[in-house]
Amino acid sequence: MSVDHYENFPVASLLCPPALRPAVTAIYHYARTADDLADEGDAPAAQRLADLAAYRADLHAVGAGAAVSPRWAAVFGPLSVAIAKHALPLPLLEDLLDAFVQDVVQTRYTDRAELLDYCRRSANPVGRLLLHLYGVQDADSLQRSDAICSALQLINFWQDLSVDLPRGRLYLPLDQCAAHGVDEAALFLQLDSVASRALVQAQCAWARGLMLSGAPLVHRLPGRAGWELRGVVQGGLRIVDKIEALQFATLRRRPRLRALDGPLIAWRACRMRARV
């Protein structure tokens, strides 16, 4: 599990069937590179948007079977192979780019519905692309995948408050901030308080519930895919546990998964039971 990159997105682990690893890796590098264009370095917003537009043009070229620019050949070469071999849905890849563009131009979210709409494009396409690779397309599985991916994105937000706030980004819904009596300015000053901790606690409870609503999907995926998803679910829930252990004081401190968390995550994954 990659904890620091792309919202806890698992990258071609040993549980992934060898035949699918190149495609999973290609999707990851596509998303990782676009995310870096939106987030990393000191480029102004206009430059980031121009780079993302050029990146999108190369995606369109791949979709049309045309030549891509040399700038990201290492990304779009493997991705073009994966698209051709597995008929990857291009709209899902487009949605990811839309989310990265949104990260450049939008830094506040009014309510949970608006934040979930962002997750619909920033996180949910990853799960849907992986389900596509495994041939799982029924509506209920897609819905549960969306719940898991949105939960992972939200958990990553509550984990990364101390990282995002200095960048000028506030993912805590503004109506939730107001309901808990937490001033936006105080958040950007990273002022820890009883009210700010209660605010984070409420968002963690929301994300945990969303994750648990999607968790039954682990029993529907075949073989190693189901086991990998168990680890993803339990890894996300473990981060919530760590936020709770900090008494929800993540405005100034970022909890992390460590190697010692691995056995506990594996044990919890093995104990996941299908509901009768």
Side-chain angles (χ1 to χ4, degrees):
M1 174 173 288
S2 173
V3 178
D4 291 328
H5 269 127
Y6 201 61
E7 333 311 338
N8 307 319
F9 175 43
V11 185
S13 80
L14 293 177
L15 290 175
C16 180
L20 297 182
R21 287 178 199 167
V24 173
T25 302
I27 293 168
Y28 171 79
H29 285 300
Y30 166 80
R32 177 75 260 138
T33 302
D35 198 6
D36 286 347
L37 290 174
D39 278 346
E40 298 301 321
D42 301 318
Q47 181 61 54
R48 295 181 189 279
L49 292 175
D51 288 342
L52 287 167
Y55 199 77
R56 189 187 298 271
D58 273 353
L59 175 63
H60 290 168
V62 166
V68 301
S69 70
R71 185 174 180 183
W72 297 289
V75 172
F76 287 103
L79 185 65
S80 65
V81 173
I83 290 172
K85 183 175 181 179
H86 301 283
L88 297 179
L90 289 178
L92 295 177
L93 297 169
E94 287 265 16
D95 283 345
L96 290 171
L97 288 187
D98 289 344
F100 298 137
V101 168
Q102 186 169 329
D103 269 334
V104 178
V105 301
Q106 183 172 349
T107 59
R108 308 288 192 280
Y109 290 85
T110 302
D111 52 28
R112 288 179 173 179
E114 190 174 24
L115 196 57
L116 283 176
D117 183 64
Y118 170 77
C119 295
R120 178 182 61 79
R121 284 167 286 113
S122 70
N124 298 2
V126 175
R128 287 182 173 236
L129 284 165
L130 293 177
L131 287 186
H132 177 86
L133 289 174
Y134 284 106
V136 177
Q137 295 295 317
D138 65 281
D140 188 70
S141 293
L142 292 174
Q143 183 179 16
R144 292 190 187 276
S145 172
D146 289 347
I148 291 172
C149 291
S150 289
L152 284 172
Q153 177 76 87
L154 294 171
I155 291 167
N156 185 257
F157 286 154
W158 318 147
Q159 176 189 22
D160 276 357
L161 288 173
S162 64
V163 176
D164 291 328
L165 288 169
R167 292 179 173 179
R169 290 180 180 172
L170 177 60
Y171 291 105
L172 290 162
L174 296 180
D175 65 341
Q176 292 288 307
C177 296
H180 285 83
V182 178
D183 183 72
E184 182 179 328
L187 288 171
F188 281 105
L189 290 173
Q190 296 175 259
L191 299 179
D192 182 43
S193 66
V194 172
S196 69
R197 294 188 184 200
L199 170 62
V200 175
Q201 181 177 12
Q203 309 323 304
C204 285
W206 170 40
R208 184 188 289 274
L210 196 58
M211 179 71 81
L212 294 176
S213 74
L217 178 61
V218 306
H219 304 293
R220 298 184 183 179
L221 294 190
R224 293 186 290 184
W227 284 101
E228 181 162 33
L229 186 57
R230 289 173 185 235
V232 170
V233 169
Q234 292 302 328
L237 292 174
R238 180 59 180 156
I239 294 172
V240 178
D241 292 342
K242 285 181 167 273
I243 295 173
E244 183 176 0
L246 290 176
Q247 298 182 324
F248 306 99
T250 54
L251 288 184
R252 306 190 71 173
R253 183 178 176 187
R254 182 185 189 272
R256 301 173 62 91
L257 290 181
R258 306 289 185 182
L260 291 177
D261 292 304
L264 177 60
I265 290 171
W267 180 75
R268 289 179 174 177
C270 290
R271 288 178 58 84
M272 295 178 75
R273 296 286 186 267
R275 295 178 181 175
V276 179

